[in-house]
Amino acid sequence: RQMQLCLPGVQIFLDVDDLVDIGNLEAYIDESAAVLLFLSKGYMHSRNCLREARAAMASDKPLVLVHEADPQKGGLPVAEIRAQCPDDLLDFVFDGQQAIQWHRLAQYQRLSLKKIAEHMLQACPSTHPLEVNARSEGLRFKGELTCADLALARHVTLLVSAHNAGADELATELITATTDELFSVVSADD
């Protein structure tokens, strides 16, 4: 139900909580705008999970793939889950889809939830792609800070080393994301 904190008013059907009759599983899928598949160790071996995936394919429902990576919680590498996928579902589930990694630490979990919410917005049939981008930029939880909320009291010099892979790109992204000119980048290798 945490998704409803990010997307107030959204109706979420969660099979473990809301499924009254397993015989109606396909009808529940048919009434959904999108179907989230939580990819973990047992998913491709569960008869009902495979029914769910096949019903989504039959109804041509957009999928949101969420990947459990923690082996302590039933996580497997995506490649291993893909290898377990029945041939009739392989293309539908995995082609053109990138799984969102499920994080269990609160701050990272919120990032996972926002990515799931963005995919859900993209699945809404009446939503124009430009509107989704505008909406997804505004996805945040109550009390969460944004870059616009941050301010520096004085000029900051970022030291960037060529020996630190990606540091230059991160510094450029940070400067681009801020509206003030309180940053400068200096090579630490000079």
Side-chain angles (χ1 to χ4, degrees):
R1 302 293 176 208
Q2 294 181 49
M3 184 60 64
Q4 291 171 323
L5 297 175
C6 192
L7 289 175
V10 71
Q11 291 183 335
I12 297 174
F13 171 81
L14 187 60
D15 56 2
V16 295
D17 290 342
D18 302 323
L19 185 63
V20 176
D21 180 1
I22 192 70
N24 292 333
L25 181 62
E26 288 79 2
Y28 289 115
I29 297 294
D30 196 48
E31 293 174 14
S32 300
V35 177
L36 184 146
L37 304 184
F38 194 79
L39 303 175
S40 61
K41 187 175 184 176
Y43 190 88
M44 295 300 173
H45 298 294
S46 166
R47 187 173 81 77
N48 288 327
C49 288
L50 293 177
R51 277 179 62 202
E52 177 181 71
R54 287 186 175 106
M57 183 171 65
S59 298
D60 198 29
K61 296 293 179 179
L63 295 181
V64 178
L65 302 180
V66 179
H67 171 236
E68 174 61 71
D70 184 353
Q72 301 274 325
K73 303 291 184 179
L76 290 175
V78 173
E80 202 169 320
I81 296 170
R82 183 184 173 105
Q84 296 173 359
C85 185
D87 290 341
D88 65 312
L89 288 170
L90 195 58
D91 289 343
F92 176 70
V93 173
F94 290 102
D95 279 4
Q97 302 276 2
Q98 185 167 348
I100 299 164
Q101 185 172 341
W102 182 248
H103 294 279
R104 297 198 174 267
L105 295 174
Q107 296 303 331
Y108 295 112
Q109 190 175 81
R110 286 181 173 182
L111 177 61
S112 295
L113 287 166
K114 287 197 285 187
K115 286 182 175 186
I116 293 167
E118 184 176 323
H119 281 77
M120 290 174 63
L121 285 172
Q122 290 171 345
C124 293
S126 61
T127 307
H128 188 277
L130 293 176
E131 190 176 333
V132 170
N133 289 340
R135 282 188 194 173
S136 63
E137 288 176 14
L139 290 176
R140 51 181 228 198
F141 289 88
K142 185 176 181 179
E144 181 180 16
L145 293 176
T146 66
C147 285
D149 298 325
L150 302 176
L152 297 170
R154 59 188 176 95
H155 185 83
V156 174
T157 301
L158 300 173
L159 295 176
V160 176
S161 172
H163 301 290
N164 187 353
D168 189 42
E169 291 85 7
L170 181 60
T172 302
E173 184 178 336
L174 182 61
I175 289 169
T176 304
T178 59
T179 56
D180 50 28
E181 295 182 12
L182 290 174
F183 289 103
S184 60
V185 177
V186 175
S187 173
D189 301 322
D190 293 339

